[in-house]
Amino acid sequence: MVCAGFTCSKHSLCALNILYVMVSLLMIGIAAWGKWFGLVSSFQVVGGVIGVGVFLFFVALVGLIGAMKHHQVLLFFYMIILFMVFIVQFSVSSACLAINKDQQERLLEVGWNNSYTTQRDVEKSLNCCGFYHVDNNGTCNAACFPNRSCSPCAEQIQEHAGEVLRFVGGIGLFFSFTEILGVWLTYRYRNQKDPRANPSAFL
């Protein structure tokens, strides 16, 4: 019975960390693909996504190695890091779902004014110019600009941002619960005996 419980915990923890490895590689790949094909020109955005992907990859690797070897120290640090990630991710996801339209509008305007590269990306992808007003004497990457037929970006951005925030919040909440599941599995696994080891030794 102990062997079955030990094996079940080990396989569950390994499967969870393999999932995290795949998600991290997907994040890195999508960010690199977006930059390579010119979909995103902001190094901060690409660097941020790749950084999160690399961090998740190494955390998952620590958890995977710890689970495979039943390594107490690696499992302990993995459990602590995963719990901290859970707190941050749960808080951010809840904020994404709870943010109202006025707060969203203020945040979008601040982000728009602080990054010229983001402005260019948005104007090109949404085919709009300016945030609240179109400046026909300025510059704009939208296809509609030479014809002077562009509309401001604020309304389109708010519509897309609302959908993105709900999607990100939902996905974040889902993964935050898998993280607390990982913390519980790790705690349980650390306190189980390895049936292949010396029966008198508690690992």
Side-chain angles (χ1 to χ4, degrees), residues 28-43 46-47 50 124:
I28 295 168
I30 289 175
W33 176 78
K35 181 62 182 171
W36 180 264
F37 285 95
L39 300 177
V40 181
S41 61
S42 173
F43 282 105
V46 174
I50 290 177
K124 185 178 179 181

Side-chain angles (χ1 to χ4, degrees), residues 156-179:
Q156 294 186 59
I157 295 174
Q158 286 167 10
E159 181 182 345
H160 286 80
E163 295 172 359
V164 169
L165 285 171
R166 286 190 294 273
F167 177 77
V168 169
I171 294 294
L173 275 181
F174 170 76
F175 275 103
S176 68
F177 287 116
T178 67
E179 287 155 8

Side-chain angles (χ1 to χ4, degrees), residues 40-176:
V40 181
S41 61
S42 173
F43 282 105
Q44 290 89 345
V45 172
V46 174
V49 174
I50 290 177
V52 171
V54 170
F55 174 75
L56 180 60
F57 177 81
F58 281 112
V59 170
L61 202 61
V62 167
L64 193 58
I65 294 170
M68 293 294 291
K69 296 183 177 294
H70 199 229
H71 195 290
Q72 293 291 300
V73 176
L74 285 180
L75 288 171
F76 174 77
F77 281 109
Y78 171 75
M79 186 170 61
I80 296 299
I81 293 170
L82 201 62
F83 184 69
M84 291 191 296
V85 170
F86 161 75
I87 293 173
V88 172
Q89 189 166 319
F90 183 81
S91 303
V92 172
S93 300
S94 300
C96 286
L97 293 172
I99 190 171
N100 61 43
K101 189 173 182 181
D102 291 336
Q103 293 170 329
Q104 178 183 311
E105 187 175 334
R106 286 197 296 270
L107 287 172
L108 288 172
E109 189 174 5
V110 169
W112 177 273
N113 292 330
N114 287 341
S115 178
Y116 180 66
T117 53
T118 301
Q119 291 180 28
R120 290 188 299 174
D121 289 339
V122 171
E123 288 174 343
K124 185 178 179 181
S125 60
L126 297 182
N127 197 29
C128 58
C129 290
F131 193 73
Y132 287 120
H133 307 286
V134 179
D135 183 7
N136 291 322
N137 296 321
T139 58
C140 180
N141 291 331
C144 61
F145 188 69
N147 302 324
R148 298 293 190 268
S149 59
C150 293
S151 58
C153 298
E155 188 174 341
Q156 294 186 59
I157 295 174
Q158 286 167 10
E159 181 182 345
H160 286 80
E163 295 172 359
V164 169
L165 285 171
R166 286 190 294 273
F167 177 77
V168 169
I171 294 294
L173 275 181
F174 170 76
F175 275 103
S176 68

